[in-house]
Amino acid sequence: MIVYTIGWLILSLFYYVTTLQLVFYPGTQPYHQTGFRFNNTAWVVTTQDPSERYLTYGPYTKDWNTLAPSRVDFYLGVDNNIADPLDLLTVEVNDADMNYILTSRNISRLDFGYDKIQPQIFSLYFLSTIGHRLEFRVFYHCCSEIVHYKTIVNELDDGKLADIFAGQAGLE
């Protein structure tokens, strides 16, 4: 039992030390073109708010200092997931120093598995340059109430499976 516990502790410390992760809460950030704060840490846009604007963008972080394949998870919710197949959002990772979109994906109403603004994860995979400012953007096209709860960026394990997903959009 002691050997098992020590082994688990060592593996946990190794994972903690070698894995990079950033978490952003859009309601605590100043980067918005439409919408308003929701439940202190989230950001929401309604059909009455201006469309074709960034729900969230930024944070222009240089803290992502890895060359390993990476994944960003956008936690988003929608009010209605069955009305029509319109594209409601575009999520993207942008290298602000190069003014270059590393990866992006359009999200339609039908891509949401839940309604009533329940959070759902939409993922993008990317490679970045150390020292460049990154922003993780959610562009609001129109026609729905959308909540952006949080954004989490994770370093992948740099194995062969990570290479398959690098630069690809994904849905979890």
Side-chain angles (χ1 to χ4, degrees):
M1 180 68 174
I2 292 174
V3 172
Y4 174 78
T5 303
I6 292 171
W8 181 82
L9 180 61
I10 290 170
L11 285 174
S12 296
L13 288 173
F14 179 76
Y15 180 77
Y16 179 74
V17 171
T18 61
T19 301
L20 185 61
Q21 182 182 69
L22 298 176
V23 179
F24 304 104
Y25 293 94
T28 65
Q29 303 285 325
Y31 309 108
H32 314 282
Q33 292 179 338
T34 191
F36 53 93
R37 183 172 289 122
F38 177 75
N39 287 348
N40 295 321
T41 59
W43 201 260
V44 64
V45 65
T46 67
T47 56
Q48 289 78 34
D49 293 314
S51 59
E52 299 301 326
R53 290 183 168 80
Y54 283 101
L55 174 64
T56 57
Y57 61 98
Y60 304 102
T61 184
K62 287 187 175 185
D63 293 338
W64 197 248
N65 54 6
T66 181
L67 295 174
S70 305
R71 183 187 75 222
V72 59
D73 297 327
F74 296 93
Y75 288 71
L76 304 165
V78 68
D79 60 344
N80 179 337
N81 66 337
I82 59 171
D84 53 54
L86 291 175
D87 281 343
L88 303 177
L89 303 168
T90 299
V91 292
E92 54 196 19
V93 178
N94 185 54
D95 181 325
D97 290 328
M98 299 290 291
N99 193 25
Y100 179 75
I101 296 172
L102 301 174
T103 185
S104 70
R105 175 191 179 182
N106 290 325
I107 300 173
S108 81
R109 185 183 311 277
L110 302 179
D111 289 329
F112 285 89
Y114 311 108
D115 61 358
K116 300 179 182 150
I117 63 172
Q118 294 180 56
Q120 182 171 327
I121 302 170
F122 293 89
S123 300
L124 293 174
Y125 298 89
F126 67 98
L127 295 171
S128 61
T129 303
I130 292 175
H132 283 216
R133 294 174 304 137
L134 293 179
E135 58 177 328
F136 308 99
R137 308 191 294 201
V138 179
F139 188 82
Y140 173 67
H141 293 289
C142 75
C143 316
S144 202
E145 181 176 331
I146 305 283
V147 178
H148 182 184
Y149 292 96
K150 64 183 172 180
T151 301
I152 299 179
V153 189
N154 285 293
E155 177 182 36
L156 298 178
D157 68 0
D158 204 20
K160 296 298 180 196
L161 187 58
D163 291 340
I164 294 171
F165 293 111
Q168 302 296 315
L171 168 66
E172 282 188 31

